[in-house]
Amino acid sequence: MTRGLHWFRNDLRLHDNSALGALVEQAEAWLPVFVFDPRIVGAGRSGGPRTRFLIDCLSRLGSDLEKLGIPLLIRHGR
């Protein structure tokens, strides 16, 4: 079985995501991952509205993936 990993970084969409599309064509199973990087999220320059927008986008992505039976793995770190 061919497995893959998709690291969601900037494009938090399932449709119209060319990197994800290429992975899905090649892998039979894949794991979606997002990493909350403290250098970006929660840093002084990323205020509440930006962080709230990111969390809303991740929530929507998680819901879309859940409908496909695929869990979104979220981690914290650099």
Side-chain angles (χ1 to χ4, degrees):
M1 172 191 286
T2 305
R3 296 180 182 173
L5 176 91
H6 184 75
W7 180 7
F8 283 95
R9 297 178 73 181
N10 297 319
D11 190 353
L12 301 179
R13 299 171 298 149
L14 290 182
H15 55 359
D16 241 9
N17 186 323
S18 58
L20 179 58
L23 173 65
V24 169
E25 287 180 13
Q26 296 178 15
E28 297 172 54
W30 57 279
L31 177 67
V33 176
F34 180 84
V35 179
F36 276 103
D37 187 332
R39 295 172 295 177
I40 298 169
V41 178
R45 65 177 183 216
S46 63
R50 180 178 181 201
T51 301
R52 178 80 259 161
F53 177 75
L54 176 60
I55 291 169
D56 289 345
C57 290
L58 285 170
S59 176
R60 193 168 28 254
L61 175 62
S63 294
D64 291 346
L65 287 165
E66 189 175 302
K67 291 174 188 171
L68 299 173
I70 303 170
L72 175 61
L73 181 63
I74 297 178
R75 293 291 184 252
H76 298 265
R78 293 180 89 171

